[in-house]
């Protein structure tokens, strides 16, 4: 068993819950990484420099620990964990991307919602510990950093923290079984929040960063927005999942789309700011 698989065995026990769709589409995860880098460049350039050096260590996360000459940004690696969890030896990681909280329950409860530790809340905490641990190999710290970039994004997607029920009582898997109509097209509710509300705004990455850091941030204090801990962020997302959950077959009206678009913009912004804070604290 090589070094990377040994690390996976150390970190997790396989807990087979129903699979969830990817949180945020590729664009959403990239934007969280870009916001974090922009924030770190202003508040902790040394931490950002070290993090970028870690991202040159290997081709992690995968089953190898081999050096790569290519420089990588947070945006470059933000979607790797979604690819990695498709590998047979890494299927254990699939449940790290979400936490199953029934929308009938107002807040996260670890004993009920994450009893084995294999959920996004506990994985963020564990990866933060690994990134901070200077005794760990650079290869392991790089994997932890990549997972953090991804998982902090995941926990800010409301439907990665909440699920409802179909008329027959079955769980809807975070809206993955709820079909809605948006802009005349049928989509899954989960996918609407992953991608549709982002892509329909038709911005480049650069335009998105400017929009989030200027229009959405406004005159608010980034440090205040970046505050709180993982459970706080989870409860924020879950509250939004409760509010934005709709029944199967719903046509999303203009009010829902407008308000939810504002929600998505806010979640992307605070995810990036909070990711920056987590990395700065781990690497300072």
């Amino acid at each position: 068993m090589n070094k990377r698989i040994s690390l996976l065995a150390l970190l997790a026990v396989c807990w087979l819950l129903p699979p969830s769709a990817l949180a945020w589409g590729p664009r959403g995860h990239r934007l969280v990484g870009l916001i974090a880098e922009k924030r770190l460049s202003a508040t902790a350039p040394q931490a950002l420099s070290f993090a970028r050096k870690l991202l040159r260590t290997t081709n992690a996360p995968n089953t190898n620990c081999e050096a790569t000459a290519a420089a990588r940004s947070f945006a470059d690696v933000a979607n790797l964990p979604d690819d990695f969890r498709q590998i047979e030896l890494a299927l254990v990681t699939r449940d790290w991307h979400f936490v199953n909280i029934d929308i009938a329950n107002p807040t996260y409860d670890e004993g009920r919602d994450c009893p084995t530790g294999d959920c996004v809340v506990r994985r963020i905490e564990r990866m933060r510990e690994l990134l901070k641990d200077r005794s760990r190999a650079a290869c392991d710290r790089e994997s932890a950093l990549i997972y953090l970039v991804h998982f902090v994004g995941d926990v800010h997607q409301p439907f990665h923290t909440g699920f409802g029920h179909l008329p027959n009582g079955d769980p809807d898997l975070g809206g993955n079984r709820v079909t809605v109509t948006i802009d005349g097209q049928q989509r899954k509710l989960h996918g609407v929040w992953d991608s549709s509300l982002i892509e329909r705004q038709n911005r480049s990455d650069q335009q998105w960063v400017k929009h989030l850091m200027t229009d959405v941030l406004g005159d608010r204090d980034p440090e205040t927005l970046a505050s709180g801990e993982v459970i706080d962020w989870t409860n924020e997302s879950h509250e939004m999942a409760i509010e934005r959950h709709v029944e199967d077959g719903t046509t999303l009206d203009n009010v829902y789309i407008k308000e939810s678009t504002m929600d998505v913009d806010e979640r992307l912004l605070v995810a990036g700011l909070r990711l920056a804070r987590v990395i700065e604290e781990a690497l300072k």
Side-chain angles (χ1 to χ4, degrees):
M1 184 177 288
N2 61 37
K3 182 182 296 184
R4 183 52 46 75
I5 298 303
S6 296
L7 174 61
L8 291 174
L10 174 67
L11 293 179
V13 176
C14 188
W15 178 32
L16 297 180
L17 294 177
S20 176
L22 310 183
W24 302 127
R27 173 62 64 82
H29 277 295
R30 283 182 56 83
L31 292 174
V32 172
L34 289 169
I35 294 299
E37 286 201 332
K38 185 173 181 63
R39 177 64 177 162
L40 283 172
S41 68
T43 62
Q46 289 182 322
L48 177 59
S49 177
F50 184 77
R52 285 174 170 165
K53 288 179 180 178
L54 278 179
L55 293 179
R56 297 176 67 104
T57 304
T58 70
N59 292 315
N62 56 27
T63 56
N64 299 312
C65 191
E66 302 171 354
T68 175
R72 296 192 290 184
S73 68
F74 296 171
D76 292 333
V77 304
N79 289 285
L80 289 181
D82 277 337
D83 298 332
F84 185 49
R85 68 176 175 170
Q86 307 305 318
I87 300 172
E88 183 176 1
L89 289 175
L91 290 179
V92 65
T93 70
R94 70 177 186 172
D95 299 326
W96 297 0
H97 296 247
F98 58 96
V99 57
N100 281 330
I101 312 173
D102 194 320
I103 61 172
N105 299 317
T107 57
Y108 168 80
D109 178 271
E110 183 174 296
R112 180 193 63 218
D113 304 319
C114 191
T116 68
D118 278 332
C119 72
V120 70
V121 180
R122 295 290 300 279
R123 290 299 104 190
I124 290 174
E125 294 169 348
R126 181 59 178 141
M127 296 307 166
R128 180 159 54 180
E129 293 172 1
L130 287 171
L131 180 60
K132 186 177 180 179
D133 189 351
R134 297 185 182 185
S135 70
R136 305 295 299 218
C139 180
D140 294 344
R141 296 179 79 192
E142 183 208 23
S143 288
L145 173 58
I146 292 171
Y147 278 122
L148 273 175
V149 171
H150 188 87
F151 291 160
V152 173
D154 280 346
V155 81
H156 284 83
Q157 208 277 44
F159 289 99
H160 265 237
T161 66
F163 70 93
H165 295 272
L166 301 176
N168 65 3
D170 289 344
D172 66 19
L173 305 185
N176 280 307
R177 292 177 173 174
V178 175
T179 300
V180 298
T181 300
I182 180 172
D183 298 330
Q185 298 182 316
Q186 288 193 333
R187 295 284 187 268
K188 297 302 182 183
L189 178 63
H190 191 111
V192 167
W193 283 79
D194 273 356
S195 300
S196 299
L197 294 172
I198 296 174
E199 297 302 342
R200 72 192 301 276
Q201 298 187 57
N202 196 28
R203 295 188 180 96
S204 67
D205 283 355
Q206 293 73 24
Q207 290 170 332
W208 261 109
V209 171
K210 182 178 180 181
H211 168 64
L212 295 175
M213 293 296 286
T214 303
D215 303 331
V216 179
L217 177 61
D219 60 1
R220 293 180 294 170
D221 178 24
E223 187 173 347
T224 300
L225 291 178
S227 64
E229 294 303 325
V230 182
I231 292 176
D232 301 317
W233 310 340
T234 302
N235 286 332
E236 286 177 5
S237 290
H238 185 62
E239 181 179 3
M240 191 171 291
I242 295 171
E243 181 180 353
R244 297 304 182 192
H245 188 273
V246 297
E247 298 299 320
D248 186 46
T250 297
T251 296
L252 304 181
D253 60 24
N254 290 334
V255 173
Y256 182 99
I257 294 171
K258 180 179 179 180
E259 292 179 349
S260 298
T261 296
M262 295 172 63
D263 290 339
V264 165
D265 290 1
E266 180 76 5
R267 299 312 282 166
L268 292 172
L269 171 66
V270 296
L273 296 177
R274 290 164 177 174
L275 173 61
R277 196 199 94 201
V278 167
I279 293 172
E280 179 179 356
E281 290 176 349
L283 298 181
K284 66 181 179 181

